Amino acid sequence: MEITRRNFKESLGAVYGAVEEADFLAIDGEFSGISDGPSVSALTNGMDTPEERYAKLRKHSMDFLLFQFGLCTFRYDQAQSKYLTKSFNFYIFPKPFSRTSPDIKFICQSSSIDFLASQGFDFNKVFRSGIPYLNQDEEAQLREQYEERRNQMNGSGTPSYISPLSGKGPVNVPDEHKDFINRVIVLLYFYSSFSLRFQRKLIFQTLNWKYPKGLHVETVETEKKERFIQVSKVDEEERRRIEQQKQEREQEELNDAVGFSRVIHAISKSGKLVVGHNMLLDVMHTIHQFYCPLPEELDDFKEVTMCVFPRLLDTKLMASTQPFKDLITNTSLAELEKQLKEKPFKAPKVGCSEGFQCYDTAAEQLHEAGYDAYITGLCFVSMANYLGSFLTPPRAHISARSKLIEPFYNKLFLMRVVDIPYLNISGPDLQPKRDHVLYVTFPKEWKTSDLYQLFSAFGNIQVSWIDDTSAFVSLSQLEQVQIAMNTSQYAESYRIQTYADYMQSKQKSTSKNRKWAEDGWANTTCSHMHNR
């Protein structure tokens, strides 16, 4: 089901129902870019620690926009012995809700846009009909604005730039505005300059003081965005009815502004298993865009993630882990889906729920987020069912709640990091020694071939570039490290450190910087995230 701003409101009930009845959910996102500076290889260095990888993605990837979100729900039907799916493809765009709403800035990466365009991506649907959204702070600010306006309408507002007013006494009108207030008429056009906004507040407050029960005052906006104050003579019952209608209208406007974030809230509240493929960026963007700006520290990010998505599973990591690792030769999503149809695996039995279209995997609608979410779910089902073959007696269907799945929970695949294959969201990360690794700095002109030549006496090496003047070099034998260190003592053009020394100096530098920022630290909490 394709969902844009035009049919979002009417489709929301179907989305909520699908999430509620599902056994598990699969998600995928499409972005306006990946990296705002470093190359992908530098962004995903093979020697990154989890903290370094998170810091780099947070710094270089979060100014891009997640503008298509795929959700596919999977419900197992015992009677038919197959999963029934419901797929949703959401187009998302931060259209400003009002003059005071956030005017979001985001960046695009030409290679990403070109690639999506080559796949038939419809950018017009994003920019013309994308569903708006607010994060939690923005939603809270909008609620406060509504409350302030409501208080102002009732004569109890206390704008920050005038003295607090008592609803029982006359309004303290500054001398320069007295003539204006005395001449005010029932219909007044105004614009957003400070002076006229101030006069508008004076009108509201003066009328509410002079006629506490006989008038209803509100701001009305025309289709041409012209705004005026409308004053109606009403009795108390009519006034209460109008106020009730206005509050209901404002609540609907607020829901419209929160927009797509309501879908993420529903997924979060459900507590269902959320499955993705190579999903670290999907999770980071989803939290950053629809909940709160990403915290600086990795441990705080883990805490927030566990609050938003208490159970995650990454199919790329699952496919890269035993017992699948030796059976699967390519873990890219499209190739993984094909391999999991062949022996020793079995293609899962799936069907479409009534009223929903089925995707045809033969058509390969890759890089449409809804389709990618769908085949991610298929991959999970195939691998989960394969684990059932190890039971006695073997079982053909393994539930998404099975204990066999639990070892894969909350571990997100880390690209290109051989000795730390995943980011552990629910616990401490792996800490390999890396005693065979050297940190090398050198002139900007050097290339990979220069490093291979420098270490030619040490046999096979692996080079992981950090930037233009530094790289990690992994030696094949631990005994070679001291030899390399000794031979570099008198070198002028390059410098070598052991990995341990490099990490120690880096931690000292980080610790020193933190001391300056202690006053700005804040405890990460998400206790309010589910209070909706």
Side-chain angles (χ1 to χ4, degrees):
M1 179 184 290
E2 190 170 85
I3 302 181
T4 65
R5 188 169 73 249
R6 303 182 195 284
N7 66 338
F8 177 67
K9 198 180 299 185
E10 66 194 56
S11 304
L12 203 51
V15 176
Y16 286 164
V19 169
E20 183 62 31
E21 70 182 14
D23 288 292
F24 74 91
L25 315 169
I27 66 168
D28 182 73
E30 297 295 341
F31 315 109
S32 63
I34 300 297
S35 173
D36 68 2
S39 65
V40 174
S41 59
L43 197 66
T44 56
N45 186 284
M47 286 293 153
D48 282 343
T49 63
E51 290 82 4
E52 289 169 334
R53 178 65 58 85
Y54 171 72
K56 286 196 287 187
L57 292 177
R58 178 179 175 271
K59 180 179 180 181
H60 295 294
S61 296
M62 291 302 109
D63 286 336
F64 296 100
L65 190 69
L66 189 165
F67 50 32
Q68 191 182 62
F69 188 93
L71 169 66
C72 188
T73 68
F74 286 74
R75 178 178 67 84
Y76 190 71
D77 187 305
Q78 295 282 357
Q80 301 183 63
S81 297
K82 68 179 182 181
Y83 277 102
L84 297 178
T85 67
K86 293 182 179 180
S87 294
F88 303 91
N89 201 43
F90 300 90
Y91 289 87
I92 301 163
F93 185 71
K95 177 183 170 67
F97 170 70
S98 68
R99 294 179 308 164
T100 58
S101 62
D103 189 8
I104 302 297
K105 280 80 174 173
F106 65 92
I107 58 177
C108 295
Q109 191 169 0
S110 58
S111 57
S112 296
I113 298 300
D114 180 61
F115 174 74
L116 288 174
S118 72
Q119 301 295 309
F121 190 91
D122 192 339
F123 293 98
N124 281 330
K125 285 182 180 173
V126 170
F127 302 130
R128 284 183 180 173
S129 307
I131 306 161
Y133 60 86
L134 296 176
N135 67 26
Q136 289 199 319
D137 285 344
E138 291 162 351
E139 180 184 348
Q141 288 170 14
L142 188 58
R143 288 186 187 278
E144 287 175 9
Q145 288 173 17
Y146 278 137
E147 190 63 32
E148 182 184 344
R149 279 198 344 227
R150 198 172 295 127
N151 289 338
Q152 176 186 301
M153 296 280 290
N154 295 331
S156 59
T158 56
S160 59
Y161 42 82
I162 62 174
S163 59
L165 300 170
S166 166
K168 297 178 182 178
V171 176
N172 182 22
V173 180
D175 290 340
E176 68 268 25
H177 293 288
K178 283 180 178 177
D179 183 58
F180 169 78
I181 291 299
N182 289 333
R183 291 185 292 104
V184 70
I185 57 176
V186 170
L187 194 63
L188 174 72
Y189 280 85
F190 65 91
Y191 301 94
S192 60
S193 69
F194 175 83
S195 173
L196 290 178
R197 279 190 288 120
F198 181 70
Q199 290 174 344
R200 175 167 62 101
K201 286 183 178 290
L202 291 177
I203 293 171
F204 274 110
Q205 293 165 341
T206 302
L207 288 173
N208 276 303
W209 169 66
K210 283 190 174 183
Y211 309 101
K213 294 184 179 179
L215 293 179
H216 171 73
V217 187
E218 70 173 318
T219 300
V220 178
E221 187 174 279
T222 68
E223 290 183 0
K224 294 181 179 180
K225 302 296 182 183
E226 295 169 324
R227 308 179 77 216
F228 58 87
I229 294 174
Q230 181 172 287
V231 184
S232 309
K233 189 174 181 180
V234 295
D235 58 27
E236 189 59 28
E237 184 179 342
E238 178 72 3
R239 176 172 173 162
R240 280 199 299 266
R241 186 183 65 79
I242 292 174
E243 285 300 319
Q244 178 64 30
Q245 288 177 342
K246 183 174 176 60
Q247 287 185 27
E248 291 172 358
R249 198 162 60 243
E250 286 180 346
Q251 183 59 51
E252 188 173 349
E253 289 174 355
L254 181 61
N255 289 339
D256 290 344
V258 175
F260 180 75
S261 298
R262 298 168 71 188
V263 173
I264 303 301
H265 299 161
I267 293 172
S268 177
K269 285 180 185 178
S270 76
K272 302 285 175 71
L273 175 65
V274 176
V275 178
H277 188 82
N278 197 12
M279 69 189 303
L280 177 55
L281 266 182
D282 297 290
V283 171
M284 291 177 70
H285 271 285
T286 299
I287 291 173
H288 183 73
Q289 210 160 299
F290 308 118
Y291 269 96
C292 60
L294 292 179
E296 186 174 344
E297 300 299 322
L298 176 61
D299 285 345
D300 292 337
F301 167 70
K302 290 182 179 184
E303 184 181 342
V304 172
T305 302
M306 286 299 293
C307 291
V308 179
F309 299 120
R311 286 194 300 158
L312 294 168
L313 188 144
D314 192 324
T315 51
K316 189 171 182 73
L317 177 74
M318 194 174 184
S320 306
T321 307
Q322 297 295 2
F324 305 102
K325 186 176 182 180
D326 295 336
L327 301 170
I328 294 170
T329 56
N330 188 332
T331 60
S332 68
L333 183 57
E335 291 304 313
L336 179 62
E337 188 270 332
K338 291 174 184 175
Q339 289 186 52
L340 290 173
K341 291 177 180 176
E342 309 295 332
K343 289 184 178 182
F345 308 104
K346 291 181 181 178
K349 295 179 181 178
V350 293
C352 280
S353 296
E354 188 176 348
F356 286 79
Q357 279 189 314
C358 272
Y359 282 113
D360 178 10
T361 55
E364 290 195 344
Q365 294 171 254
L366 292 166
H367 305 290
E368 178 190 288
Y371 176 78
D372 285 357
Y374 170 69
I375 62 173
T376 295
L378 296 185
C379 291
F380 166 68
V381 173
S382 290
M383 288 190 285
N385 288 346
Y386 177 74
L387 294 176
S389 66
F390 294 95
L391 297 177
T392 306
R395 288 172 56 189
H397 168 67
I398 296 298
S399 162
R401 291 177 290 275
S402 169
K403 287 192 177 296
L404 292 174
I405 307 299
E406 290 183 6
F408 302 100
Y409 281 174
N410 299 325
K411 297 180 175 73
L412 305 185
F413 185 76
L414 284 181
M415 289 278 289
R416 297 188 176 89
V417 186
V418 177
D419 55 359
I420 311 177
Y422 59 83
L423 179 67
N424 187 2
I425 296 297
S426 56
D429 290 301
L430 298 173
Q431 292 184 317
K433 287 186 176 181
R434 294 181 172 174
D435 291 341
H436 64 298
V437 178
L438 299 171
Y439 172 69
V440 188
T441 56
F442 41 79
K444 191 174 182 178
E445 296 74 28
W446 278 32
K447 296 179 173 58
T448 304
S449 57
D450 295 300
L451 290 169
Y452 275 103
Q453 184 175 349
L454 178 64
F455 290 93
S456 59
F458 299 97
N460 291 328
I461 63 167
Q462 285 187 329
V463 177
S464 300
W465 283 83
I466 300 171
D467 53 35
D468 289 344
T469 60
S470 63
F472 292 116
V473 175
S474 302
L475 304 180
S476 56
Q477 297 177 34
L478 183 59
E479 301 78 38
Q480 296 173 333
V481 170
Q482 194 56 52
I483 301 172
M485 294 294 296
N486 292 339
T487 56
S488 69
Q489 286 183 13
Y490 306 104
E492 295 181 1
S493 60
Y494 67 91
R495 185 167 176 264
I496 296 178
Q497 272 184 294
T498 64
Y499 182 82
D501 288 343
Y502 162 76
M503 290 300 294
Q504 189 175 19
S505 60
K506 185 174 182 179
Q507 285 164 3
K508 282 182 182 178
S509 174
T510 304
S511 177
K512 183 179 179 181
N513 291 337
R514 277 183 181 168
K515 288 177 182 178
W516 289 100
E518 278 178 356
D519 290 343
W521 288 354
N523 291 328
T524 301
T525 179
C526 59
S527 58
H528 63 290
M529 286 188 173
H530 299 295
N531 297 333
R532 303 184 156 272

